[in-house]
Amino acid sequence: KAGVTQTPRYLIKTRGQQVTLSCSPISGHRSVSWYQQTPGQGLQFLFEYFSETQRNKGNFPGRFSGRQFSNSRSEMNVSTLELGDSALYLCASSLVKTGLSYEQYFGPGTRLTVT
Amino acid sequence: DAKTTQPNSMESNEEEPVHLPCNHSTISGTDYIHWYRQLPSQGPEYVIHGLTSNVNNRMASLAIAEDRKSSTLILHRATLRDAAVYYCILRDVGGNKLVFGAGTILRVKS
């Protein structure tokens, strides 16, 4: 079974621009979560999508948004980029079943550098 | 979100067992205990999880205290490839949000 894939793997953008990152979950996984990892703040939860609906959101400004498509693929968008948005953005997918706790499978991440 | 407390770092010798502790005194009845690890330059990797009983899988064992206020991840024979940051996370059954702490940096000496 193919793992979680993220594209692109590396990206360099300029302050003020916007960026879109893509994530393809493991086949059959309908939950996709996004995380930001920086040396200073560590791993922080951005949001989770399940069945095309955002069902959980972290403490990030509205410049960070996402969506999920009917095939469970997800994109996240960051508008008006700031230098502090430079980070590794990780996507994770998971099964979902009421009453159970499933593990998340992470992709390799997209390394975003804002100059 | 319930919090966990882990040592900043630990060191082990290759081929020896490693016991990584985690305290979670505010755990609720519906919180599962999850362990992930992150190897250098990679995304986090799931290791093991449990609710009340001890759990074993091909990677590790998870020992959960009877009062569930602490747990221990056991790597039976550490290898150099086990050198990573290990995260202990409490996860409510209702959501997929993982709240990562600083984790424990495990160093393995040959």
Side-chain angles (χ1 to χ4, degrees), chain A residues 33-67:
Chain A
S33 300
W34 288 89
Y35 295 82
Q36 181 197 64
Q37 186 171 29
T38 59
Q41 299 297 319
L43 274 154
Q44 293 184 284
F45 173 80
L46 279 156
F47 30 63
E48 180 207 357
Y49 285 87
F50 174 68
S51 292
E52 302 178 64
T53 301
Q54 186 184 89
R55 83 173 177 164
N56 217 334
K57 190 177 190 308
N59 189 25
F60 279 82
R63 298 186 298 106
F64 292 82
S65 63
R67 59 177 177 168

Side-chain angles (χ1 to χ4, degrees), chain A residues 18-86:
Chain A
Q18 73 162 11
V19 67
T20 299
L21 311 181
S22 181
C23 171
S24 292
I26 291 172
S27 177
H29 287 190
R30 292 165 60 199
S31 167
V32 175
S33 300
W34 288 89
Y35 295 82
Q36 181 197 64
Q37 186 171 29
T38 59
Q41 299 297 319
L43 274 154
Q44 293 184 284
F45 173 80
L46 279 156
F47 30 63
E48 180 207 357
Y49 285 87
F50 174 68
S51 292
E52 302 178 64
T53 301
Q54 186 184 89
R55 83 173 177 164
N56 217 334
K57 190 177 190 308
N59 189 25
F60 279 82
R63 298 186 298 106
F64 292 82
S65 63
R67 59 177 177 168
Q68 187 180 34
F69 302 96
S70 57
N71 62 358
S72 294
R73 191 177 71 83
S74 177
E75 289 181 347
M76 68 162 281
N77 183 277
V78 188
S79 62
T80 320
L81 283 166
E82 300 176 359
L83 294 179
D85 297 333
S86 294

Side-chain angles (χ1 to χ4, degrees), chain A residues 31 37 99 101-104, chain B residues 34 36 38 46 49 91 96:
Chain A
S31 167
Q37 186 171 29
S101 182
Y102 286 98
E103 61 270 28
Q104 291 192 18
Chain B
H34 281 245
Y36 286 77
Q38 188 171 22
Y46 166 80
H49 77 281
R91 219 178 110 185
N96 271 334

